[in-house]
Amino acid sequence: MGQSQSAEGEQQSLPPGQRLQRGWPVTHYGPVPKFKPDRWDFRVFGATADGEKHSWDHEEFSALPYETVVADFHCVTKFSMVGAEWGGVPARTVLELAPPAAGVTHVMVWAEYGFSSNLRLSDFAAGTTLFATHRAGELLTAEHGFPVRLVVPHLYAWKGPKWVRGVEYMTTDRRGFWEERGYHNIGDPHKEQRYSYQEEPGEGPEL
Ligand SMILES: Nc1nc2c(c(=O)[nH]1)N[C@H]1C(S)=C(S)[C@@H](COP(=O)(O)O)O[C@H]1N2
Ligand SMILES: [Mo]
C-alpha cells in the first residue's frame, strides 16, 4: 500500500443543494461495457512531451504504484456519498510516466463507447485525482467502472469517467460528453457549478 490522501477530511457540510445518500447508486448513460483483458489498454496520447503515444496493458497498469484517497462524492443530480475510500493509480503518476508537452493546459479523459470528460490540467494533476481500481479495499464492480474509473473528488462526479481507456493531452480546451450537453465546463460542487449557462467568461470554450 502506498500513501494515503484525504480530499475533504475536514469538510463537515455537504456542498450547496446536495443531500446524503445511503448506499452507492449506479448512474451512467448507456450500457455497462464488457471487460476484455487481452484487448484492454490504457493510452496516453495527444500533446505528449516526447511526441509519442504511451500505453499500458491491463497487467502493466495493475502494477503501477497504488495509493488510497478518502473523499466525498457528489453527483450533479444532488446525491452525495461521504468518506469513500478509493484505491488506484494517482493521475500524477500517469503525468510522471507519460509527461505532457509544455503547452498542455487541459486533458480529455476517454472511456469505453466514446464517453469523455475534459479537465483543466491543474484539476487532473491535483494530489487526490485518482484512476481508481478499488473502493473500500475491493475491486470495483462492472457497474461502478471496473477495471478503472477516474475520481476527481473536488469536482462533480461526472468529471470521473467509469471504464477509462485513456487520456488525451490538449493545448486548448474542448468539451467532453456531459460538458457538451449542458453541464458546466469546470463543475466545482462547492461553487455549485452545475450547468453551462452558469459559466463565466473564460470558464469554458464557446458553446
Ligand atoms: N463512462 C461513464 N462514466 C461516468 C458516467 C457515464 O455516463 N459514463 N456518468 C458519471 C456520473 S454523472 C456519475 S454521478 C458517476 C456515477 O458513478 P457511480 O455509478 O459509480 O455512482 O459516474 C460518472 N462517470
Ligand atoms: Mo452524476
Side-chain angles (χ1 to χ4, degrees), residues 50-66:
D50 60 6
E52 304 285 328
K53 297 184 175 77
H54 298 251
S55 83
W56 293 275
D57 66 21
H58 188 245
E59 206 177 320
E60 291 165 339
F61 192 85
S62 306
L64 294 178
Y66 181 94

Side-chain angles (χ1 to χ4, degrees), residues 27 74-77 79 157-158:
T27 319
H74 310 294
C75 173
V76 70
T77 64
F79 78 83
W158 88 77

